[in-house]
Amino acid sequence: MTSPAKLGVRIVVHLADYGVDTDPIPDNSAKQNVLAAAEGDTGVAQQAWQQAGLPESGAVSVRQLADALALVPNASG
C-alpha cells in the first residue's frame, strides 16, 4: 500500500496581473457604449468618437474606448 505522503499532490498557483483587458473591442460594441454614455444622443456620441480619433470601422482598444467615453459631456463614471 502507498503511504499518504506519496499520494500527496502539490498545486502551484502562479498569479499574474495582466492589467486592463487587452482584447480589442468590436467597433459596434464600442459605439454602443459611447452612445449609451451619451444617453442616446447620436450627435454627442459621434462627436466624442471623432474627437478621440477613433476609426470609422474596426476594433478599438480599451484605452481608445475610455478616451472616447471621457469626452462625452456629463457621462457618469
Side-chain angles (χ1 to χ4, degrees):
M1 196 168 231
T2 307
S3 70
K6 290 185 180 182
L7 292 176
V9 176
R10 288 187 186 207
I11 299 174
V12 178
V13 177
H14 178 76
L15 300 176
D17 181 5
Y18 293 104
V20 178
D21 186 8
T22 57
D23 288 339
I25 301 169
D27 59 337
N28 288 341
S29 295
K31 288 176 181 178
Q32 288 175 355
N33 277 283
V34 176
L35 183 60
E39 298 179 348
D41 187 329
T42 56
V44 169
Q46 288 174 339
Q47 184 176 7
W49 188 269
Q50 291 170 350
Q51 285 179 341
L54 302 186
E56 288 186 33
S57 63
V60 298
S61 70
V62 172
R63 170 56 61 203
Q64 288 174 308
L65 176 56
D67 290 346
L69 290 171
L71 293 169
V72 176
N74 301 319
S76 59

